[in-house]
Amino acid sequence: MRAWKEEHPSRRAVGAFPVYVPTELIQAAGALPIWLYGGGGSVEISHADSRIQSFVCSISRSTLELGLRGHLDVLDGLVFPSICDVARNLSGVWARNFPRMFVEFLHLPQNRRSPSAVPYTIAEYRRLLAGLERLCGKPVAPEDLRAAIHAHNENREAAWALLDARRRTPWATDAWETYAFLRAGAVLERETHTSLLRQALAAARERGRRPKDKVPVILLGAFCEQPPLDLIRAVEEAGCYILEDDLLLGSRWFRTSIPDGADPLRALAEAYVASSPPSSVSHYRGTPKQDLLPQRCRQLGASGVVFLTAKFCEPALYDQVLYKERLESAQIPYVHIEFEEKMSAVDTVRTQIETFVESVLFE
Amino acid sequence: MSDEDAGKALQKRLLGEYYQSLGDAGRSGQKVAYLFVPGNVVELLRCFDMLPVYPEINALQCGIKKMAGDLILRAENIGYSSDVCGYVKNDIGLMLSDRQSPFGPLPKPDLLVCNYSGCNTFVKWFEALAHFYGAELFVLDIPYLRERGPSTADIEYVVAQLEELADVCARTSGVPFDRERLKRVTSLSYAAEKLWVDVLHAARSRPSPFDAYFEAVFYMAPLNILRGTEGCVEYYRLLLEELVSRQKEGRGPVPEEKFRVVVEGPPPWPHFRSFWELFKRWGVCAVASTYSKVGGLFDQGVFHDPAQPMESIARYAMNSYTNWNLGLRLDLLRQYLREYEADALIIHSVKSCRSFSVGQADFRDVLAKEEGVPTLMVESDLADPRYYSEAQLKNRIDAFFESLAHRRLVGG
Ligand code: SF4
């Protein structure tokens, strides 16, 4: 990041807190969007303790800690979307503690059934864009936005190609590997990241690995705070093929391309309202997601579900109960694990997953 | 009957009638809407003769009546984490116990009106109720107040949704929407809100005639439950009379008002009385509180307006305390400290409600360290009795007021 700043002294870098932020707007304004995913267990919480209570998730605490220690000084701005009360209030704490930074809270529409959701979202995106224009010191033309949408479309397409390949042939690529490739995009220009993803896909195809006797599962619950890489590995090593997951969900939020036509801002807003994936942080527009899950398991041929939820993450913990209920009535096995960024008990989790795998295999 | 008794008697009668109507809902065939206190749209529901039920108020009543602990455990037994909001678990526990509240049986919802103002958990809460009850859910999205005031786009968005909600209510209740009726209901709300502001302002006098936290939370019940009715207006008229007479006699909630404080955060309902005692023994009187503003920031000039009923409902809904950004909340605390000539700020941080509590430590930092306001921050919970540690709280509170008293003595 610092190297990028040195190479591009005149450009701005703007952070995006998970889960979803229309980073197209940041890119269109000429800044580099950076996804923040917390401290990943590498940072000791000390400064943040005096400003945020201990009963909130690690990502909020460690992000604030990174900020207070000056590790995020490279950022000129930071956008918090409306995902939960913790992240929302963190935006306020941030605004006060970093008065020189451009801090924006983006209220994404929760009532996506209302016909008024689209005009509202357009207005909200305009508001964010106006702030970004002030920060970057230039107006954003429709072609800037079209170019950014195009770059994001290609990037999402490459990400999905990799994820789809893993779903079809999970033995060819490990989930922790695809995760690492996607995660690299957090600090890269879209275009650079897209070519990295394409190379990864090509390499996976050439690998020629053979299928193993593992249990195919869906992994859910880690849409915001990210589990330690070791934990994802542990799930796989304990005998699971992860067909689908919601890791880094925001970076690949849309499944299909956003039209970069005459009114790109409207297209971006419409996509959010109509085509957002099921997620614990946005109210469903059609069928509740817990009702979709058993169906999805059958479609994919998943034998079970592994819930990885961040400790203290309320949106995930509430949904977990409803998911669980539906899975039980559909007789689909599941296992629930809570994690924290700093997690030492990976071995215990491995044993838990092994037990789960055995129970599925011997059913 | 003295004014005091008259106000109390009326509140008792009105709330009694309300709970009676909830018990009768099955027989009367009246449609039932569940909704939340902050930013609620009860005025609109009244136009369709729908019965409002407030799960938050049920939860706090269960807290006071010492039922919350068991209900919370019931919800945890079906998988709710120990780290999620106790109000939600209390409500799920009630559902699992056939909705037997301390005030009798509660009806099932016909419609869930999720007025999502100031708390994200509201959405998760009603998604769960929709799941378990199979009732229709309408999420009324109230944008967070991320700037100084609502934008035109915000208001248009909320008003458009209110119109859609009116259609849903008409369909559910079979009652057509009468806009004249909405004007009448909002004007009754306005009358009660005005009187309530006068009540709150009475705490400016020395001594304050009432405790603006421990007593205000009961005084505000009719405004939250019965807003938009004649009885509600009458209640506040009587309450104000009573406070004026207390003022004249120099009477307050403590025998001698030694410390005036502003309180931030909800009370610990399961231990309400003992928590209050910890302050009373020091002659502490709350002169302003933020919890009494969760149902609306009327004292900041936000009122229902019969001339523009829908717009005013939208504005009201955006202006509930926890829907304000932290900068505005901090300014409000400063305003209260000044306006009510308070000696200190008390922050009660509750685990259940992150919407309230995340950011309070930062308030303490600014006010205590940068602005020199004596500030005490204590932690427990609003619903879960397990998080209340009396001895620890007592130590902290005693030490705080001891040092305030000492400072006063040495003229610091
Ligand atoms: S991990 Fe959960 S609680 Fe924490 S910021 Fe993300 S969504 Fe909010």
Side-chain angles (χ1 to χ4, degrees):
Chain A
M1 260 312 294
R2 284 183 208 282
W4 179 87
K5 264 261 164 173
E6 276 160 26
E7 273 173 44
H8 306 85
S10 64
R11 279 185 67 195
R12 305 284 189 175
V14 175
F17 198 82
V19 175
Y20 170 77
V21 169
T23 44
E24 286 87 343
L25 300 180
I26 300 175
Q27 187 181 342
L32 178 69
I34 307 280
W35 284 103
L36 293 186
Y37 291 113
S42 62
V43 36
E44 212 53 62
I45 308 288
S46 60
H47 302 66
D49 264 339
S50 68
R51 289 179 181 78
I52 197 162
Q53 288 91 333
S54 55
F55 48 71
V56 299
C57 57
S58 329
I59 184 174
S60 298
R61 290 161 56 77
S62 68
T63 305
L64 183 59
E65 183 69 32
L66 288 174
L68 293 171
R69 287 182 182 218
H71 296 329
L72 300 177
D73 286 355
V74 286
L75 296 181
D76 303 288
L78 182 45
V79 181
F80 291 88
S82 50
I83 52 168
C84 68
D85 297 330
V86 174
R88 186 197 71 186
N89 287 13
L90 182 62
S91 75
V93 173
W94 207 278
R96 194 191 74 78
N97 283 279
F98 305 95
R100 276 194 303 277
M101 211 186 264
F102 164 75
V103 181
E104 197 52 83
F105 178 79
L106 189 71
H107 186 99
L108 293 164
Q110 276 286 29
N111 181 358
R112 292 184 292 119
R113 285 180 205 175
S114 168
S116 60
V118 170
Y120 164 76
T121 311
I122 294 176
E124 186 63 353
Y125 284 4
R126 281 224 176 90
R127 194 178 66 83
L128 173 60
L129 201 54
L132 289 164
E133 286 175 336
R134 278 194 300 277
L135 176 74
C136 299
K138 75 168 184 84
V140 173
E143 48 280 16
D144 299 329
L145 188 51
R146 272 195 284 274
I149 290 179
H150 179 73
H152 276 72
N153 279 343
E154 295 219 307
N155 185 253
R156 281 188 289 255
E157 206 178 294
W160 279 111
L162 195 59
L163 293 170
D164 288 344
R166 192 187 87 208
R167 198 183 61 231
R168 284 190 299 266
T169 53
W171 50 89
T173 333
D174 296 324
W176 71 265
E177 291 174 322
T178 46
Y179 175 80
F181 284 122
L182 288 185
R183 177 79 188 247
V187 291
L188 295 176
E189 303 265 18
R190 288 307 80 194
E191 295 78 356
T192 318
H193 185 230
T194 305
S195 57
L196 177 77
L197 291 173
R198 287 180 182 149
Q199 285 165 27
L201 181 62
R205 283 200 177 121
E206 281 163 20
R207 237 177 188 176
R209 279 196 190 164
R210 309 217 146 267
K212 286 192 193 146
D213 195 16
K214 288 192 177 189
V215 170
V217 298
I218 293 178
L219 187 146
L220 273 185
F223 45 83
C224 179
E225 180 175 320
Q226 298 299 297
L229 195 62
D230 280 350
L231 188 56
I232 307 174
R233 285 186 85 146
V235 172
E236 299 193 287
E237 285 164 7
C240 295
Y241 277 140
I242 300 171
L243 301 182
E244 206 166 72
D245 60 60
D246 58 0
L247 301 161
L248 307 167
L249 185 63
S251 66
R252 52 179 165 102
W253 190 257
F254 299 113
R255 195 74 178 76
T256 50
S257 287
I258 297 171
D260 48 6
D263 192 346
L265 195 72
R266 169 172 281 275
L268 202 56
E270 279 174 348
Y272 183 82
V273 171
S275 313
S276 285
S279 146
S280 295
V281 296
S282 67
H283 175 58
Y284 47 81
R285 185 168 185 248
T287 313
K289 49 194 175 313
Q290 67 271 18
D291 298 343
L292 296 171
L293 183 58
Q295 230 171 294
R296 190 68 187 147
C297 287
R298 272 180 229 113
Q299 265 171 10
L300 295 186
S303 313
V305 177
V306 175
F307 291 103
L308 281 192
T309 51
K311 184 159 173 60
F312 297 119
C313 174
E314 286 202 283
L317 291 168
Y318 287 123
D319 277 350
Q320 214 272 321
V321 181
L322 310 187
Y323 279 136
K324 189 183 98 150
E325 233 233 352
R326 285 293 186 261
L327 291 178
E328 279 167 12
S329 31
Q331 295 185 309
I332 298 172
Y334 64 87
V335 58
H336 178 211
I337 288 149
E338 274 185 41
F339 69 86
E340 287 181 89
E341 283 182 350
K342 252 193 183 12
M343 190 164 177
S344 47
V346 174
D347 283 337
T348 330
V349 173
R350 199 187 311 265
T351 319
Q352 245 178 299
I353 304 278
E354 278 165 0
T355 317
F356 166 72
V357 166
E358 277 161 27
S359 74
V360 175
L361 286 177
F362 296 113
E363 278 248 316
Chain B
M1 204 174 349
S2 75
D3 291 339
E4 193 153 344
D5 296 338
K8 264 203 188 126
L10 181 64
Q11 177 172 25
K12 203 166 167 214
R13 179 166 68 74
L14 293 174
L15 293 181
E17 284 169 7
Y18 166 70
Y19 282 106
Q20 183 68 41
S21 69
L22 296 187
D24 291 343
R27 279 186 299 279
S28 69
Q30 234 185 319
K31 295 295 178 197
V32 174
Y34 279 26
L35 72 169
F36 293 107
V37 169
N40 73 69
V41 294
V42 71
E43 285 78 6
L44 193 63
L45 300 177
R46 291 204 193 286
C47 295
F48 300 94
D49 297 322
M50 296 187 83
L51 260 178
V53 173
Y54 302 87
E56 292 157 287
I57 295 181
N58 300 336
L60 81 84
Q61 302 280 20
C62 292
I64 295 176
K65 301 281 178 199
K66 311 254 181 243
M67 284 169 66
D70 288 341
L71 294 170
I72 288 173
L73 283 180
R74 294 196 77 149
E76 291 183 358
N77 281 340
I78 68 159
Y80 281 93
S81 156
S82 59
D83 294 321
V84 303
C85 172
Y87 268 13
V88 179
K89 285 185 284 190
N90 188 110
D91 196 38
I92 297 284
L94 263 178
M95 178 192 77
L96 296 171
S97 339
D98 282 330
R99 292 174 304 285
Q100 295 302 322
S101 84
F103 296 97
L106 299 168
K108 283 188 193 167
D110 295 298
L111 179 65
L112 296 160
V113 180
C114 178
N115 41 285
Y116 161 54
S117 170
C119 168
N120 209 77
T121 293
F122 286 168
V123 178
K124 307 316 289 176
W125 186 341
F126 273 13
E127 282 181 353
L129 293 194
H131 172 96
F132 290 116
Y133 283 119
E136 180 169 357
L137 166 60
F138 186 99
V139 171
L140 176 71
D141 182 14
I142 315 283
Y144 188 55
L145 210 61
R146 49 230 186 279
E147 306 211 313
R148 283 219 76 83
S151 69
T152 317
D154 293 338
I155 297 293
E156 284 171 358
Y157 177 43
V158 179
V159 169
Q161 294 178 81
L162 289 173
E163 294 288 348
E164 291 156 27
L165 176 60
D167 291 343
V168 174
C169 291
R171 169 164 52 73
T172 311
S173 65
V175 177
F177 186 22
D178 174 356
R179 285 177 199 267
E180 286 307 311
R181 189 169 171 192
L182 184 62
K183 283 188 187 163
R184 285 196 300 279
V185 175
T186 40
S187 75
L188 287 171
S189 292
Y190 175 75
E193 290 158 3
K194 275 285 191 194
L195 289 162
W196 171 240
V197 172
D198 292 341
V199 166
L200 293 171
H201 286 166
R204 285 172 180 160
S205 62
R206 272 178 195 267
S208 166
F210 75 110
D211 190 290
Y213 183 60
F214 291 104
E215 286 181 291
V217 296
F218 293 106
Y219 295 164
M220 75 187 192
L223 200 65
N224 290 336
I225 300 176
L226 305 165
R227 212 174 60 225
T229 65
E230 314 233 341
C232 182
V233 183
E234 179 59 11
Y235 169 75
Y236 286 103
R237 205 183 50 72
L238 291 175
L239 176 62
L240 189 62
E241 270 174 22
E242 173 199 328
L243 295 186
V244 170
S245 76
R246 279 197 220 165
Q247 240 167 355
K248 279 191 196 133
E249 294 161 23
R251 268 196 302 137
V254 276
E256 191 194 341
E257 182 185 280
K258 294 201 186 109
F259 300 102
R260 295 165 67 86
V261 299
V262 170
V263 185
E264 149 79 14
W269 294 114
H271 300 277
F272 186 85
R273 293 271 150 202
S274 54
F275 189 59
W276 190 2
E277 284 305 322
L278 296 179
F279 292 94
K280 269 192 186 162
R281 29 198 306 275
W282 286 96
V284 176
C285 176
V287 285
S289 65
T290 52
Y291 185 68
S292 55
K293 313 298 164 11
V294 289
L297 281 148
F298 307 110
D299 66 333
Q300 302 302 304
V302 185
F303 295 107
H304 285 88
D305 178 0
Q308 297 180 306
M310 289 297 221
E311 287 78 356
S312 71
I313 293 175
R315 261 175 221 287
Y316 157 77
M318 280 191 71
N319 285 287
S320 64
Y321 177 66
T322 47
N323 204 47
W324 271 20
N325 70 56
L326 295 193
L328 295 175
R329 279 174 60 178
L330 183 59
D331 282 345
L332 188 70
L333 290 173
R334 290 185 177 119
Q335 180 198 324
Y336 285 164
L337 287 160
R338 243 186 355 255
E339 181 182 344
Y340 292 88
E341 298 177 343
D343 305 301
L345 172 70
I346 308 297
I347 299 176
H348 181 233
S349 162
V350 298
K351 179 181 176 185
S352 274
C353 185
R354 272 79 169 181
S355 169
F356 241 113
S357 55
V358 173
Q360 286 173 333
D362 202 51
F363 293 164
R364 176 193 53 192
D365 231 54
V366 194
L367 293 171
K369 289 198 193 136
E370 293 173 24
E371 299 175 22
V373 177
T375 302
L376 171 71
M377 181 158 157
V378 289
E379 276 184 25
S380 79
D381 198 53
L382 83 178
D384 199 324
R386 293 171 294 189
Y387 294 118
Y388 187 88
S389 152
E390 170 108 13
Q392 215 174 27
L393 288 168
K394 184 171 179 300
N395 278 342
R396 300 278 320 278
I397 293 167
D398 285 353
F400 181 76
F401 286 103
E402 233 161 69
S403 95
L404 264 192
H406 179 73
R407 254 207 253 181
R408 204 175 261 178
L409 212 61
V410 297

